[in-house]
Amino acid sequence: MEPSSETSPAAPLRTIPGSYGIPFLQPIKDRLEYFYGTGSPDEFFRSRIQKYQSTVFRTNMPPGPFISSNPKVVALLDAKSFPVLFDVSKVEKKDLFTGTYMPSTKLTGGYRVLSYLDPSEPRHAQLKNLMFFMLKSSSNRVIPQFETTYTELFQGLETVLAKNGKAKFNDVGEQAAFRFLGRAYFNSNPEETKLGTSAPTLISSWVLFNLGPILDLGLPWFLQELLLHTFRLPAFLIKSSYNKLYDYFESVATLIVEQAETLGVPKDEALHNILFAVCFNTFGENVNVIHLFHNTTWHLLIFILLITG
């Protein structure tokens, strides 16, 4: 049977709908609507899908002025268009983390870590290979250390539960998560080092400074806009916390650093990337900053005062 000569007619090309509006003013308006006007970021996009009758449209993304100089994006919100983002010949990912926002390099030792590099940059391949080496070198420890660490966790919870009738999970759960990562990646229990049990708190603080411009912490809108969305939180406020994390990785990641140097990545740059990979990629999505600060107007101010003390 010969194939049918009939083919589906190509869909007509459309100009991408949407508008970036008046520079400076419209990005701020869109930011306010993104965080406060539609109920949630998801609704921000849904409302525009309905408005433009398209899952591809132009819009401004937070944080905008004065943090992100160019907030203009084309949103791709369907399975057919989204794969374009993986075509490095069409999309440049240099100096981007989410939307058009990239955290300050002052929070990563002055380096553009792997997440901020475009695949076309030579350092991208070197650092990517380093991350794969870190995963591969820990492969024989992951399952045994997972079993050991989480057995400890749940046995401890059962003991507390039997004694008090209740047990809090969040804090000990985060402690266990970082203990597992230290044991799996570096064959080291961080609680037996100078870091002690402080890692989850230090990481949460650091992640807040990275993601503050795109977070909604439940503060009154005018306070949140002033503190988080208009200007970056000063990196020096978190430097001592970050240095404690850096010192830990410097003391335990010798094998990974040696591999980095064979790949042409200096020790200092390698350590900042290792820290980012372990701490941000693991705790960044799970950090409880929203729980810590939600609906409490002054907690952010108190937090900044505490970490400078």
Side-chain angles (χ1 to χ4, degrees), residues 129-191:
N129 287 335
L130 179 64
M131 295 302 109
F132 279 124
F133 174 82
M134 186 169 73
L135 291 170
K136 183 179 179 181
S137 65
S138 63
S139 60
N140 65 339
R141 294 191 297 268
V142 171
I143 293 177
Q145 293 298 349
F146 184 89
E147 182 179 6
T148 296
T149 301
Y150 283 92
T151 297
E152 292 171 351
L153 170 65
F154 288 108
Q155 286 178 345
L157 287 171
E158 289 287 351
T159 300
V160 174
L161 190 62
K163 181 180 179 181
N164 301 328
K166 59 182 180 180
K168 295 182 179 180
F169 180 80
N170 283 357
D171 290 344
V172 292
E174 290 183 348
Q175 292 289 351
F178 196 75
R179 190 186 321 135
F180 162 67
L181 293 171
R183 286 169 165 173
Y185 284 135
F186 313 111
N187 200 26
S188 166
N189 183 349
E191 294 170 19

Short mmCIF file of all heavy atoms in Angstrom, two decimals, residues 129-191:
data_model
loop_
_atom_site.label_atom_id
_atom_site.label_comp_id
_atom_site.label_asym_id
_atom_site.label_seq_id
_atom_site.Cartn_x
_atom_site.Cartn_y
_atom_site.Cartn_z
N ASN A 129 31.86 17.51 34.23
CA ASN A 129 32.61 16.26 34.43
C ASN A 129 33.00 16.07 35.89
O ASN A 129 33.02 14.95 36.40
CB ASN A 129 33.85 16.27 33.55
CG ASN A 129 33.52 16.05 32.08
OD1 ASN A 129 32.50 15.47 31.75
ND2 ASN A 129 34.39 16.53 31.20
N LEU A 130 33.31 17.16 36.56
CA LEU A 130 33.66 17.08 37.98
C LEU A 130 32.47 16.60 38.81
O LEU A 130 32.62 15.77 39.70
CB LEU A 130 34.14 18.45 38.48
CG LEU A 130 34.53 18.51 39.97
CD1 LEU A 130 35.71 17.60 40.25
CD2 LEU A 130 34.83 19.95 40.38
N MET A 131 31.28 17.12 38.51
CA MET A 131 30.09 16.70 39.24
C MET A 131 29.79 15.22 39.01
O MET A 131 29.41 14.49 39.93
CB MET A 131 28.89 17.55 38.83
CG MET A 131 29.00 19.03 39.18
SD MET A 131 29.22 19.33 40.96
CE MET A 131 30.92 19.87 41.00
N PHE A 132 29.99 14.77 37.78
CA PHE A 132 29.78 13.35 37.49
C PHE A 132 30.81 12.49 38.21
O PHE A 132 30.49 11.38 38.68
CB PHE A 132 29.82 13.09 35.98
CG PHE A 132 28.54 13.40 35.27
CD1 PHE A 132 28.51 14.28 34.20
CD2 PHE A 132 27.35 12.82 35.67
CE1 PHE A 132 27.32 14.58 33.55
CE2 PHE A 132 26.14 13.10 35.02
CZ PHE A 132 26.14 13.99 33.96
N PHE A 133 32.03 12.98 38.30
CA PHE A 133 33.05 12.25 39.05
C PHE A 133 32.66 12.14 40.52
O PHE A 133 32.84 11.08 41.14
CB PHE A 133 34.41 12.94 38.92
CG PHE A 133 35.49 12.32 39.78
CD1 PHE A 133 36.17 11.19 39.35
CD2 PHE A 133 35.80 12.84 41.03
CE1 PHE A 133 37.15 10.59 40.14
CE2 PHE A 133 36.78 12.26 41.83
CZ PHE A 133 37.45 11.13 41.38
N MET A 134 32.13 13.22 41.09
CA MET A 134 31.72 13.19 42.49
C MET A 134 30.61 12.15 42.71
O MET A 134 30.62 11.41 43.70
CB MET A 134 31.24 14.58 42.93
CG MET A 134 30.94 14.68 44.41
SD MET A 134 30.70 16.40 44.97
CE MET A 134 29.09 16.75 44.28
N LEU A 135 29.69 12.08 41.78
CA LEU A 135 28.62 11.08 41.87
C LEU A 135 29.17 9.66 41.73
O LEU A 135 28.83 8.77 42.51
CB LEU A 135 27.57 11.34 40.80
CG LEU A 135 26.72 12.61 40.95
CD1 LEU A 135 25.90 12.85 39.70
CD2 LEU A 135 25.82 12.50 42.17
N LYS A 136 30.02 9.48 40.73
CA LYS A 136 30.56 8.14 40.47
C LYS A 136 31.43 7.65 41.63
O LYS A 136 31.35 6.48 42.02
CB LYS A 136 31.38 8.17 39.18
CG LYS A 136 31.92 6.80 38.78
CD LYS A 136 32.70 6.87 37.47
CE LYS A 136 33.27 5.52 37.09
NZ LYS A 136 34.04 5.59 35.82
N SER A 137 32.25 8.54 42.18
CA SER A 137 33.16 8.13 43.25
C SER A 137 32.44 7.77 44.53
O SER A 137 33.00 7.11 45.41
CB SER A 137 34.17 9.25 43.53
OG SER A 137 33.53 10.41 44.04
N SER A 138 31.18 8.19 44.66
CA SER A 138 30.42 7.89 45.88
C SER A 138 29.42 6.76 45.68
O SER A 138 28.67 6.42 46.60
CB SER A 138 29.67 9.14 46.34
OG SER A 138 28.72 9.55 45.37
N SER A 139 29.41 6.15 44.49
CA SER A 139 28.34 5.21 44.15
C SER A 139 28.27 4.00 45.08
O SER A 139 27.19 3.49 45.38
CB SER A 139 28.50 4.74 42.70
OG SER A 139 29.76 4.10 42.52
N ASN A 140 29.41 3.56 45.59
CA ASN A 140 29.39 2.37 46.46
C ASN A 140 29.02 2.70 47.90
O ASN A 140 28.88 1.80 48.73
CB ASN A 140 30.75 1.66 46.42
CG ASN A 140 31.87 2.51 46.99
OD1 ASN A 140 31.75 3.73 47.06
ND2 ASN A 140 32.97 1.87 47.37
N ARG A 141 28.88 3.99 48.21
CA ARG A 141 28.52 4.38 49.58
C ARG A 141 27.07 4.83 49.72
O ARG A 141 26.54 4.90 50.83
CB ARG A 141 29.43 5.52 50.05
CG ARG A 141 30.89 5.15 50.22
CD ARG A 141 31.67 6.25 50.93
NE ARG A 141 31.68 7.51 50.18
CZ ARG A 141 32.63 7.83 49.31
NH1 ARG A 141 33.64 7.01 49.07
NH2 ARG A 141 32.59 8.99 48.67
N VAL A 142 26.43 5.17 48.61
CA VAL A 142 25.12 5.81 48.68
C VAL A 142 24.10 4.93 49.41
O VAL A 142 23.47 5.37 50.39
CB VAL A 142 24.61 6.16 47.27
CG1 VAL A 142 23.15 6.62 47.32
CG2 VAL A 142 25.46 7.27 46.67
N ILE A 143 23.90 3.71 48.96
CA ILE A 143 22.87 2.86 49.57
C ILE A 143 23.22 2.47 51.01
O ILE A 143 22.37 2.61 51.91
CB ILE A 143 22.61 1.62 48.69
CG1 ILE A 143 21.98 2.05 47.37
CG2 ILE A 143 21.71 0.63 49.43
CD1 ILE A 143 21.74 0.93 46.39
N PRO A 144 24.44 2.01 51.30
CA PRO A 144 24.76 1.68 52.70
C PRO A 144 24.61 2.87 53.64
O PRO A 144 24.08 2.73 54.75
CB PRO A 144 26.22 1.21 52.63
CG PRO A 144 26.41 0.74 51.23
CD PRO A 144 25.57 1.65 50.39
N GLN A 145 25.08 4.05 53.21
CA GLN A 145 25.00 5.21 54.10
C GLN A 145 23.57 5.73 54.22
O GLN A 145 23.19 6.26 55.26
CB GLN A 145 25.92 6.33 53.59
CG GLN A 145 27.40 6.00 53.68
CD GLN A 145 27.85 5.75 55.12
OE1 GLN A 145 27.14 6.01 56.08
NE2 GLN A 145 29.06 5.22 55.27
N PHE A 146 22.78 5.56 53.17
CA PHE A 146 21.37 5.93 53.28
C PHE A 146 20.68 5.05 54.32
O PHE A 146 19.94 5.55 55.18
CB PHE A 146 20.69 5.76 51.92
CG PHE A 146 19.25 6.21 51.90
CD1 PHE A 146 18.93 7.52 51.59
CD2 PHE A 146 18.22 5.32 52.20
CE1 PHE A 146 17.60 7.93 51.58
CE2 PHE A 146 16.91 5.72 52.19
CZ PHE A 146 16.59 7.04 51.88
N GLU A 147 20.94 3.77 54.24
CA GLU A 147 20.35 2.84 55.20
C GLU A 147 20.80 3.15 56.63
O GLU A 147 19.98 3.22 57.55
CB GLU A 147 20.71 1.41 54.84
CG GLU A 147 20.08 0.37 55.76
CD GLU A 147 20.43 -1.05 55.37
OE1 GLU A 147 21.26 -1.23 54.44
OE2 GLU A 147 19.89 -1.98 55.97
N THR A 148 22.09 3.39 56.81
CA THR A 148 22.62 3.68 58.15
C THR A 148 22.03 4.97 58.71
O THR A 148 21.56 5.01 59.85
CB THR A 148 24.16 3.82 58.08
OG1 THR A 148 24.72 2.57 57.69
CG2 THR A 148 24.72 4.22 59.44
N THR A 149 22.05 6.03 57.90
CA THR A 149 21.63 7.35 58.37
C THR A 149 20.15 7.38 58.71
O THR A 149 19.75 7.89 59.76
CB THR A 149 21.96 8.42 57.32
OG1 THR A 149 23.36 8.42 57.06
CG2 THR A 149 21.53 9.80 57.80
N TYR A 150 19.33 6.82 57.84
CA TYR A 150 17.89 6.93 58.08
C TYR A 150 17.39 5.88 59.08
O TYR A 150 16.33 6.07 59.69
CB TYR A 150 17.13 6.90 56.75
CG TYR A 150 17.27 8.25 56.07
CD1 TYR A 150 18.30 8.50 55.18
CD2 TYR A 150 16.41 9.30 56.41
CE1 TYR A 150 18.46 9.75 54.61
CE2 TYR A 150 16.56 10.54 55.84
CZ TYR A 150 17.58 10.78 54.95
OH TYR A 150 17.74 12.03 54.41
N THR A 151 18.16 4.83 59.28
CA THR A 151 17.86 3.95 60.41
C THR A 151 18.09 4.69 61.71
O THR A 151 17.27 4.63 62.64
CB THR A 151 18.73 2.68 60.35
OG1 THR A 151 18.42 1.94 59.16
CG2 THR A 151 18.48 1.80 61.58
N GLU A 152 19.21 5.42 61.80
CA GLU A 152 19.49 6.25 62.98
C GLU A 152 18.38 7.26 63.21
O GLU A 152 17.92 7.45 64.34
CB GLU A 152 20.81 6.99 62.80
CG GLU A 152 22.05 6.12 62.80
CD GLU A 152 23.29 6.89 62.41
OE1 GLU A 152 23.17 8.06 61.99
OE2 GLU A 152 24.40 6.33 62.53
N LEU A 153 17.95 7.90 62.12
CA LEU A 153 16.92 8.92 62.23
C LEU A 153 15.63 8.35 62.82
O LEU A 153 15.09 8.89 63.80
CB LEU A 153 16.64 9.53 60.86
CG LEU A 153 15.40 10.45 60.76
CD1 LEU A 153 15.58 11.69 61.61
CD2 LEU A 153 15.12 10.82 59.31
N PHE A 154 15.14 7.27 62.25
CA PHE A 154 13.83 6.77 62.68
C PHE A 154 13.90 6.05 64.02
O PHE A 154 12.92 6.06 64.78
CB PHE A 154 13.23 5.88 61.58
CG PHE A 154 12.77 6.67 60.39
CD1 PHE A 154 13.47 6.63 59.20
CD2 PHE A 154 11.66 7.49 60.48
CE1 PHE A 154 13.06 7.37 58.11
CE2 PHE A 154 11.24 8.24 59.40
CZ PHE A 154 11.94 8.18 58.20
N GLN A 155 15.05 5.48 64.34
CA GLN A 155 15.19 4.91 65.68
C GLN A 155 15.16 6.02 66.73
O GLN A 155 14.55 5.88 67.79
CB GLN A 155 16.48 4.11 65.78
CG GLN A 155 16.42 2.77 65.06
CD GLN A 155 17.73 2.00 65.13
OE1 GLN A 155 18.78 2.57 65.47
NE2 GLN A 155 17.69 0.72 64.81
N GLY A 156 15.83 7.14 66.42
CA GLY A 156 15.81 8.28 67.33
C GLY A 156 14.41 8.85 67.49
O GLY A 156 13.99 9.19 68.60
N LEU A 157 13.67 8.95 66.39
CA LEU A 157 12.30 9.47 66.46
C LEU A 157 11.41 8.54 67.27
O LEU A 157 10.56 9.00 68.04
CB LEU A 157 11.74 9.63 65.04
CG LEU A 157 12.30 10.80 64.22
CD1 LEU A 157 11.82 10.70 62.77
CD2 LEU A 157 11.86 12.13 64.83
N GLU A 158 11.59 7.23 67.10
CA GLU A 158 10.79 6.27 67.87
C GLU A 158 11.07 6.40 69.36
O GLU A 158 10.14 6.32 70.19
CB GLU A 158 11.11 4.84 67.40
CG GLU A 158 10.59 4.50 66.02
CD GLU A 158 9.08 4.30 65.99
OE1 GLU A 158 8.45 4.27 67.07
OE2 GLU A 158 8.54 4.19 64.89
N THR A 159 12.33 6.63 69.73
CA THR A 159 12.69 6.81 71.13
C THR A 159 12.03 8.04 71.72
O THR A 159 11.44 8.00 72.81
CB THR A 159 14.22 6.91 71.28
OG1 THR A 159 14.82 5.71 70.78
CG2 THR A 159 14.60 7.10 72.74
N VAL A 160 12.10 9.15 70.99
CA VAL A 160 11.48 10.39 71.46
C VAL A 160 9.97 10.25 71.52
O VAL A 160 9.32 10.72 72.46
CB VAL A 160 11.88 11.57 70.54
CG1 VAL A 160 11.13 12.84 70.92
CG2 VAL A 160 13.38 11.80 70.59
N LEU A 161 9.40 9.60 70.52
CA LEU A 161 7.95 9.41 70.48
C LEU A 161 7.47 8.56 71.65
O LEU A 161 6.45 8.86 72.28
CB LEU A 161 7.57 8.75 69.15
CG LEU A 161 6.09 8.67 68.81
CD1 LEU A 161 5.50 10.06 68.67
CD2 LEU A 161 5.89 7.89 67.49
N ALA A 162 8.23 7.51 71.97
CA ALA A 162 7.84 6.66 73.10
C ALA A 162 7.94 7.40 74.42
O ALA A 162 7.14 7.17 75.34
CB ALA A 162 8.75 5.42 73.12
N LYS A 163 8.90 8.31 74.50
CA LYS A 163 9.12 9.04 75.75
C LYS A 163 8.14 10.19 75.92
O LYS A 163 7.59 10.40 77.02
CB LYS A 163 10.55 9.57 75.79
CG LYS A 163 10.89 10.34 77.06
CD LYS A 163 12.34 10.82 77.01
CE LYS A 163 12.68 11.63 78.28
NZ LYS A 163 14.10 12.12 78.22
N ASN A 164 7.89 10.96 74.84
CA ASN A 164 7.11 12.19 74.95
C ASN A 164 5.73 12.12 74.32
O ASN A 164 4.92 13.04 74.48
CB ASN A 164 7.87 13.36 74.31
CG ASN A 164 9.22 13.58 74.97
OD1 ASN A 164 9.39 13.35 76.16
ND2 ASN A 164 10.19 14.03 74.18
N GLY A 165 5.48 11.08 73.55
CA GLY A 165 4.19 10.97 72.88
C GLY A 165 4.13 11.75 71.58
O GLY A 165 3.14 11.70 70.85
N LYS A 166 5.18 12.49 71.27
CA LYS A 166 5.26 13.23 70.01
C LYS A 166 6.73 13.47 69.69
O LYS A 166 7.59 13.43 70.57
CB LYS A 166 4.50 14.55 70.09
CG LYS A 166 5.00 15.49 71.17
CD LYS A 166 4.18 16.76 71.20
CE LYS A 166 4.68 17.72 72.30
NZ LYS A 166 3.88 18.97 72.33
N ALA A 167 7.01 13.75 68.41
CA ALA A 167 8.38 13.99 67.99
C ALA A 167 8.38 14.93 66.79
O ALA A 167 7.55 14.78 65.88
CB ALA A 167 9.08 12.68 67.63
N LYS A 168 9.26 15.89 66.81
CA LYS A 168 9.38 16.83 65.69
C LYS A 168 10.31 16.25 64.64
O LYS A 168 11.40 15.77 64.96
CB LYS A 168 9.91 18.18 66.18
CG LYS A 168 8.95 18.90 67.13
CD LYS A 168 9.50 20.25 67.55
CE LYS A 168 8.53 20.98 68.46
NZ LYS A 168 9.06 22.31 68.89
N PHE A 169 9.88 16.32 63.39
CA PHE A 169 10.64 15.68 62.32
C PHE A 169 11.54 16.63 61.54
O PHE A 169 12.64 16.24 61.13
CB PHE A 169 9.68 15.00 61.34
CG PHE A 169 10.37 14.30 60.20
CD1 PHE A 169 10.93 13.05 60.37
CD2 PHE A 169 10.49 14.92 58.96
CE1 PHE A 169 11.59 12.41 59.34
CE2 PHE A 169 11.15 14.29 57.92
CZ PHE A 169 11.70 13.03 58.10
N ASN A 170 11.10 17.88 61.31
CA ASN A 170 11.80 18.76 60.36
C ASN A 170 13.27 18.93 60.67
O ASN A 170 14.14 18.72 59.82
CB ASN A 170 11.11 20.12 60.30
CG ASN A 170 9.84 20.09 59.47
OD1 ASN A 170 9.49 19.05 58.90
ND2 ASN A 170 9.14 21.19 59.42
N ASP A 171 13.59 19.34 61.90
CA ASP A 171 14.98 19.64 62.23
C ASP A 171 15.87 18.40 62.14
O ASP A 171 16.94 18.43 61.53
CB ASP A 171 15.07 20.26 63.63
CG ASP A 171 14.50 21.66 63.68
OD1 ASP A 171 14.31 22.26 62.60
OD2 ASP A 171 14.23 22.16 64.79
N VAL A 172 15.42 17.31 62.77
CA VAL A 172 16.24 16.09 62.74
C VAL A 172 16.28 15.49 61.34
O VAL A 172 17.27 14.86 60.95
CB VAL A 172 15.73 15.05 63.77
CG1 VAL A 172 15.96 15.55 65.19
CG2 VAL A 172 14.26 14.70 63.53
N GLY A 173 15.22 15.71 60.57
CA GLY A 173 15.20 15.22 59.20
C GLY A 173 16.24 15.94 58.34
O GLY A 173 16.92 15.32 57.52
N GLU A 174 16.36 17.25 58.52
CA GLU A 174 17.37 18.01 57.78
C GLU A 174 18.77 17.64 58.23
O GLU A 174 19.69 17.56 57.41
CB GLU A 174 17.12 19.51 57.94
CG GLU A 174 15.87 19.99 57.21
CD GLU A 174 15.67 21.48 57.32
OE1 GLU A 174 16.38 22.12 58.16
OE2 GLU A 174 14.83 22.02 56.60
N GLN A 175 18.94 17.42 59.53
CA GLN A 175 20.24 16.97 60.03
C GLN A 175 20.63 15.65 59.39
O GLN A 175 21.77 15.44 58.97
CB GLN A 175 20.20 16.82 61.56
CG GLN A 175 20.05 18.10 62.34
CD GLN A 175 21.31 18.96 62.30
OE1 GLN A 175 22.35 18.52 61.84
NE2 GLN A 175 21.20 20.18 62.79
N ALA A 176 19.67 14.74 59.32
CA ALA A 176 19.94 13.43 58.73
C ALA A 176 20.27 13.56 57.25
O ALA A 176 21.16 12.86 56.74
CB ALA A 176 18.74 12.51 58.92
N ALA A 177 19.58 14.45 56.55
CA ALA A 177 19.83 14.62 55.12
C ALA A 177 21.27 15.06 54.87
O ALA A 177 21.95 14.51 53.99
CB ALA A 177 18.85 15.65 54.53
N PHE A 178 21.74 16.05 55.64
CA PHE A 178 23.11 16.52 55.41
C PHE A 178 24.13 15.50 55.90
O PHE A 178 25.20 15.35 55.31
CB PHE A 178 23.33 17.87 56.10
CG PHE A 178 24.57 18.58 55.60
CD1 PHE A 178 24.57 19.19 54.37
CD2 PHE A 178 25.72 18.61 56.36
CE1 PHE A 178 25.70 19.83 53.88
CE2 PHE A 178 26.86 19.24 55.90
CZ PHE A 178 26.85 19.85 54.65
N ARG A 179 23.80 14.78 56.97
CA ARG A 179 24.69 13.73 57.46
C ARG A 179 24.86 12.65 56.38
O ARG A 179 25.97 12.16 56.12
CB ARG A 179 24.12 13.11 58.73
CG ARG A 179 25.08 12.17 59.47
CD ARG A 179 24.38 11.48 60.63
NE ARG A 179 23.48 12.38 61.33
CZ ARG A 179 22.24 12.05 61.71
NH1 ARG A 179 21.77 10.84 61.46
NH2 ARG A 179 21.50 12.92 62.34
N PHE A 180 23.75 12.30 55.74
CA PHE A 180 23.81 11.31 54.65
C PHE A 180 24.67 11.81 53.50
O PHE A 180 25.51 11.07 52.96
CB PHE A 180 22.39 11.00 54.16
CG PHE A 180 22.36 10.36 52.80
CD1 PHE A 180 22.86 9.09 52.61
CD2 PHE A 180 21.84 11.05 51.70
CE1 PHE A 180 22.85 8.50 51.35
CE2 PHE A 180 21.82 10.47 50.45
CZ PHE A 180 22.33 9.19 50.27
N LEU A 181 24.51 13.08 53.11
CA LEU A 181 25.28 13.63 52.00
C LEU A 181 26.77 13.63 52.31
O LEU A 181 27.60 13.29 51.46
CB LEU A 181 24.81 15.05 51.69
CG LEU A 181 23.39 15.17 51.12
CD1 LEU A 181 22.97 16.63 51.07
CD2 LEU A 181 23.29 14.54 49.75
N GLY A 182 27.12 14.01 53.55
CA GLY A 182 28.52 14.01 53.94
C GLY A 182 29.11 12.61 53.91
O GLY A 182 30.23 12.40 53.43
N ARG A 183 28.37 11.65 54.41
CA ARG A 183 28.85 10.27 54.44
C ARG A 183 28.93 9.69 53.03
O ARG A 183 29.89 8.97 52.69
CB ARG A 183 27.91 9.42 55.29
CG ARG A 183 28.03 9.66 56.79
CD ARG A 183 26.89 8.98 57.52
NE ARG A 183 27.15 8.87 58.96
CZ ARG A 183 26.25 8.44 59.84
NH1 ARG A 183 25.04 8.06 59.42
NH2 ARG A 183 26.55 8.37 61.12
N ALA A 184 27.93 9.98 52.20
CA ALA A 184 27.89 9.39 50.87
C ALA A 184 28.93 9.99 49.93
O ALA A 184 29.68 9.27 49.27
CB ALA A 184 26.49 9.55 50.27
N TYR A 185 29.00 11.31 49.88
CA TYR A 185 29.91 11.96 48.95
C TYR A 185 31.36 11.95 49.42
O TYR A 185 32.28 11.80 48.62
CB TYR A 185 29.49 13.41 48.71
CG TYR A 185 28.30 13.58 47.81
CD1 TYR A 185 27.28 14.47 48.14
CD2 TYR A 185 28.19 12.88 46.60
CE1 TYR A 185 26.18 14.65 47.31
CE2 TYR A 185 27.09 13.05 45.77
CZ TYR A 185 26.09 13.94 46.13
OH TYR A 185 25.01 14.11 45.30
N PHE A 186 31.55 12.13 50.73
CA PHE A 186 32.91 12.39 51.22
C PHE A 186 33.37 11.42 52.31
O PHE A 186 34.44 11.60 52.88
CB PHE A 186 33.00 13.83 51.75
CG PHE A 186 32.40 14.85 50.83
CD1 PHE A 186 31.23 15.51 51.17
CD2 PHE A 186 32.98 15.12 49.60
CE1 PHE A 186 30.66 16.44 50.32
CE2 PHE A 186 32.43 16.05 48.74
CZ PHE A 186 31.26 16.71 49.09
N ASN A 187 32.52 10.43 52.60
CA ASN A 187 32.86 9.45 53.65
C ASN A 187 33.17 10.16 54.97
O ASN A 187 34.09 9.79 55.70
CB ASN A 187 34.05 8.59 53.23
CG ASN A 187 34.12 7.29 54.01
OD1 ASN A 187 33.10 6.79 54.51
ND2 ASN A 187 35.31 6.74 54.14
N SER A 188 32.37 11.19 55.28
CA SER A 188 32.60 12.01 56.46
C SER A 188 31.27 12.39 57.09
O SER A 188 30.35 12.82 56.39
CB SER A 188 33.37 13.28 56.08
OG SER A 188 33.32 14.24 57.11
N ASN A 189 31.18 12.23 58.41
CA ASN A 189 29.99 12.69 59.13
C ASN A 189 30.21 14.14 59.53
O ASN A 189 31.06 14.44 60.36
CB ASN A 189 29.77 11.83 60.38
CG ASN A 189 28.50 12.23 61.13
OD1 ASN A 189 27.89 13.26 60.85
ND2 ASN A 189 28.12 11.41 62.11
N PRO A 190 29.47 15.08 58.93
CA PRO A 190 29.70 16.49 59.22
C PRO A 190 29.52 16.85 60.69
O PRO A 190 30.12 17.81 61.18
CB PRO A 190 28.67 17.22 58.34
CG PRO A 190 27.66 16.18 57.99
CD PRO A 190 28.38 14.89 57.95
N GLU A 191 28.71 16.07 61.40
CA GLU A 191 28.47 16.38 62.81
C GLU A 191 29.69 16.07 63.67
O GLU A 191 29.75 16.49 64.83
CB GLU A 191 27.25 15.60 63.30
CG GLU A 191 25.96 16.06 62.61
CD GLU A 191 24.79 15.14 62.88
OE1 GLU A 191 24.85 14.38 63.86
OE2 GLU A 191 23.82 15.18 62.10
#
